[in-house]
Amino acid sequence: MARPQRLLPNLTFLDLRPPMTDAAQEVAASLSAPSPTLDPKYFYDERGSALFDAITRTPEYYPTRTEAALLAEHADAMASELPGDLVIAEPGAGGCDKVRLLLDRWRPSGYMPLEISRQCLLDATRELAPRYPSVRFSAVCADYSQALSFPADDLGPARLVFFPGSTIGNFEPTARADFLAGLRRLAGDHGYLLIGADLQKDPARLNAAYNDARGHTAAFNRNALHHLNRRLNCGFDPDAFEHRAFYNESARRIEMHLECRRDQTISVADQRIQLPAGTRIHTENSYKFTVEGFSRELVDAGFAPLSSWVDEEGLFSIHLARAA
């Protein structure tokens, strides 16, 4: 394994060199399938990240502010169930924004963000580490598969895996079970998990959250096409796609699609792919949970649930569990 580099007195950086996927082949295969799909990762470039930030600030989109309020209100109660000497590990840390409240309130002995975007990780940790000189920052550039295989140090401080947001809802049930089992491995035999899960609720509330009046979610959905045009020169006409987001009650998930308003032909990986008018490209799922149901999934993954916190409206939940 590569050796960590010391960048600041309390910051080391370990680059596991995440394997690069062949984006062109991946996109060609997913778009030429009988039911075309795109991986949600293609939402995210600089513009996509800015659009998602705008979504989180809309009146309709409740998850981000609700979770932040729950963390602020219950951080001390959470800490009371955890050991004093703690390292927070955050897979998919991005800009390390949500962990700041825990760093302020808990002052753990260490923080280990794991993130595939090397520059994003470096920028965030170089900015954060000087603010918390007593916290050891161990930044790891890795994809999810590498992050979830990262060994836990069972001789050192307990490791708390922090997985905020409603990101767990983006996984299909089988993949979600595998991912939660991976979080258990990352936590180690003496570790803990703190995770956010969006809750089932009135479909009208859910539909509004993914169809905001300002059109930010629609622009975010179409941004996958803009991103792929720039990256792979696919030839999409993004304005010819309609944003479709709706709650699928039988599957208990929000689905996001892009629907062609007219026939299109795109080119990717030396393939010409026909997208007739009416074709829907499935771009994302967001599963919704109950507290009891999600707790059972944690048990199946090898955790023992300790506590959960839900806002007064019953919109969102945060779960604390320990390794069973």
Side-chain angles (χ1 to χ4, degrees):
M1 181 182 287
R3 293 188 176 186
Q5 302 170 263
R6 185 165 298 280
L7 303 181
L8 293 170
N10 66 327
L11 170 61
T12 60
F13 174 72
L14 176 62
D15 191 351
L16 295 184
R17 302 189 181 279
M20 300 296 291
T21 59
D22 187 330
Q25 293 292 339
E26 180 183 80
V27 169
S30 65
L31 288 180
S32 58
S35 298
T37 62
L38 279 176
D39 193 297
K41 67 187 176 187
Y42 294 114
F43 292 143
Y44 294 97
D45 54 7
E46 186 175 353
R47 180 171 179 264
S49 296
L51 283 167
F52 183 73
D53 184 62
I55 290 168
T56 66
R57 300 172 193 275
T58 61
E60 299 94 336
Y61 192 80
Y62 58 85
T64 302
R65 62 176 174 268
T66 306
E67 181 182 51
L70 284 171
L71 285 171
E73 181 178 357
H74 300 291
D76 292 342
M78 295 170 186
S80 71
E81 301 198 51
L82 295 167
D85 194 9
L86 195 69
V87 170
I88 299 175
E90 185 179 6
C96 306
D97 295 317
K98 293 184 178 182
V99 77
R100 297 179 190 220
L101 183 142
L102 300 182
L103 295 177
D104 286 335
R105 297 280 286 274
W106 295 356
R107 294 297 166 121
S109 61
Y111 172 55
M112 184 174 68
L114 302 109
E115 167 60 37
I116 193 170
S117 172
R118 186 178 192 275
Q119 196 57 50
C120 179
L121 181 64
L122 287 171
D123 290 346
T125 52
R126 280 174 169 152
E127 186 262 329
L128 265 187
R131 298 187 181 190
Y132 304 94
S134 65
V135 179
R136 297 190 317 275
F137 281 70
S138 305
V140 181
C141 183
D143 67 12
Y144 271 148
S145 65
Q146 294 170 312
L148 300 187
S149 300
F150 202 81
D153 180 6
D154 287 328
L155 299 178
R159 183 180 289 177
L160 171 83
V161 177
F162 182 47
F163 199 65
S166 50
T167 308
I168 193 64
N170 297 145
F171 292 87
E172 295 286 347
T174 300
R176 186 166 67 242
D178 291 341
F179 187 80
L180 288 171
L183 296 182
R184 168 63 179 79
R185 290 192 297 274
L186 179 60
D189 289 341
H190 304 288
Y192 296 81
L193 172 67
L194 186 66
I195 186 169
D198 199 7
L199 297 177
Q200 296 171 23
K201 57 185 66 67
D202 182 354
R205 186 74 182 261
L206 288 166
N207 288 327
Y210 292 83
N211 293 279
D212 63 280
R214 297 175 187 175
H216 293 317
T217 311
F220 177 68
N221 201 4
R222 291 191 194 96
N223 190 64
L225 308 182
H226 288 288
H227 182 189
L228 290 171
N229 279 348
R230 287 191 298 272
R231 184 169 172 180
L232 301 176
N233 195 29
C234 294
F236 287 108
D237 178 1
D239 292 333
F241 284 83
E242 192 76 29
H243 166 69
R244 303 286 187 198
F246 54 88
Y247 185 57
N248 181 331
E249 293 198 47
S250 61
R252 296 180 178 177
R253 70 188 187 193
I254 282 282
E255 296 182 10
M256 291 218 310
H257 301 256
L258 289 166
E259 183 175 326
C260 296
R261 293 200 295 239
R262 60 172 178 77
D263 295 352
Q264 289 196 51
T265 302
I266 64 156
S267 299
V268 59
D270 299 322
Q271 294 186 46
R272 292 175 63 80
I273 299 172
Q274 305 292 329
L275 298 173
T279 299
R280 284 189 175 183
I281 303 173
H282 195 160
T283 53
E284 187 177 52
N285 291 318
S286 183
Y287 284 83
K288 309 304 174 186
F289 304 94
T290 63
V291 170
E292 297 77 11
F294 191 69
S295 295
R296 286 194 295 271
E297 293 193 33
L298 293 177
V299 170
D300 291 342
F303 288 102
L306 295 176
S307 295
S308 58
W309 295 269
V310 177
D311 61 288
E312 290 183 358
E313 292 185 81
L315 300 176
F316 198 89
S317 62
I318 297 178
H319 299 252
L320 178 63
R322 62 172 173 78

